[in-house]
Amino acid sequence: DAGVIQSPRHEVTEMGQEVTLRCKPISGHDYLFWYRQTMMRGLELLIYFNNNVPIDDSGMPEDRFSAKMPNASFSTLKIQPSEPRDSAVYFCASTSGESTEAFFGQGTRLTVV
Amino acid sequence: GEDVEQSLFLSVREGDSSVINCTYTDSSSTYLYWYKQEPGAGLQLLTYIFSNMDMKQDQRLTVLLNKKDKHLSLRIADTQTGDSAIYFCAERGGSSNTGKLIFGQGTTLQVKP
């Protein structure tokens, strides 16, 4: 398996534009997590899914953020409209209930100007 | 709710031992983890400990768990310049869900030659 795959690796967009971040978890994993990393706030859990169902979205900062998992092999995190303070590295991770390890993607570095 | 805290920065000399500390609040955590993040990269699992253990050794790494005090530490023996990175403590399980991972803010380890 190629691991957790995120795209794009880098995204630069203008304030007000819609941004969509993508994640492909490891095959067979039934948990998927979206994290945001900034210097000020560290690594924050935004939302996580179990069997494609959102379990806890209490970390999603505002209504401008939304996440979906239409099937077991794909998830998106959307920001609409984007703002400069959304600039961060966004990580996706996946694991299974039986696994002791959560595997992380390489992250998407988002810059909103 | 769950909370994980770490000191933000540690500086050591090459060849010395490094000890990174972490405290957590959820006494029902099942697993506790140490992840490493090198500049520009995702998080990589270093080691983990099950909550019914109090120590785990893996080559240069020693994890100590004091469940009574909810304190976790990572000791790196013979620290090398290649160990310079951010180290994250994380907990999993607990009262909410077995899949959810909560991370500390990360400790930046600086190794001076």
Side-chain angles (χ1 to χ4, degrees):
Chain A
D1 200 308
V4 176
I5 299 173
Q6 292 186 245
S7 63
R9 288 293 309 275
H10 302 273
E11 175 83 33
V12 180
T13 190
E14 290 186 344
M15 183 173 63
Q17 296 297 307
E18 177 181 294
V19 175
T20 299
L21 311 181
R22 297 173 176 81
C23 176
K24 181 181 186 304
I26 291 173
S27 176
H29 282 183
D30 53 355
Y31 286 91
L32 184 141
F33 306 84
W34 282 102
Y35 288 89
R36 177 173 69 176
Q37 186 178 29
T38 60
M39 289 289 290
M40 291 296 293
R41 301 173 70 92
L43 200 62
E44 302 172 276
L45 176 63
L46 300 177
I47 184 171
Y48 78 100
F49 297 83
N50 179 217
N51 291 321
N52 313 337
V53 176
I55 302 300
D56 184 349
D57 65 354
S58 59
M60 296 285 262
E62 299 170 34
D63 291 345
R64 298 184 295 106
F65 285 68
S66 62
K68 293 182 180 179
M69 193 163 185
N71 58 62
S73 59
F74 184 65
S75 177
T76 59
L77 177 68
K78 187 176 291 188
I79 308 172
Q80 166 61 23
S82 58
E83 296 183 4
R85 61 195 167 115
D86 301 330
S87 298
V89 181
Y90 290 81
F91 287 103
C92 175
S94 72
T95 189
S96 69
E98 293 76 36
S99 173
T100 54
E101 179 174 358
F103 293 83
F104 279 74
Q106 290 295 94
T108 295
R109 181 173 294 278
L110 173 65
T111 304
V112 183
V113 297
Chain B
E2 307 100 337
D3 193 23
V4 178
E5 294 198 356
Q6 303 175 235
S7 53
L8 296 181
F9 186 77
L10 176 66
S11 180
V12 300
R13 293 220 171 268
E14 192 174 16
D16 288 350
S17 291
S18 307
V19 180
I20 303 172
N21 295 300
C22 169
T23 57
Y24 60 99
T25 57
D26 193 340
S27 58
S28 57
S29 297
T30 52
Y31 290 97
L32 295 134
Y33 300 83
W34 285 104
Y35 277 82
K36 178 184 181 182
Q37 184 183 33
E38 295 183 350
L43 277 71
Q44 178 188 8
L45 180 68
L46 270 183
T47 187
Y48 67 92
I49 189 167
F50 191 49
S51 59
N52 68 353
M53 298 168 64
D54 52 18
M55 187 182 93
K56 181 178 180 181
Q57 187 147 6
D58 183 1
Q59 299 182 337
R60 293 191 296 122
L61 306 179
T62 303
V63 179
L64 295 177
L65 174 61
N66 181 328
K67 200 170 180 184
K68 174 177 170 288
D69 294 338
K70 301 190 192 69
H71 182 266
L72 183 74
S73 68
L74 173 69
R75 179 177 181 269
I76 306 173
D78 188 25
T79 313
Q80 303 297 306
T81 53
D83 296 324
S84 294
I86 304 175
Y87 291 80
F88 290 91
C89 168
E91 64 166 351
R92 177 180 178 183
S95 55
S96 58
N97 188 285
T98 57
K100 188 175 178 179
L101 274 175
I102 300 296
F103 285 83
Q105 314 94 303
T107 300
T108 298
L109 175 64
Q110 179 190 66
V111 182
K112 296 178 181 177

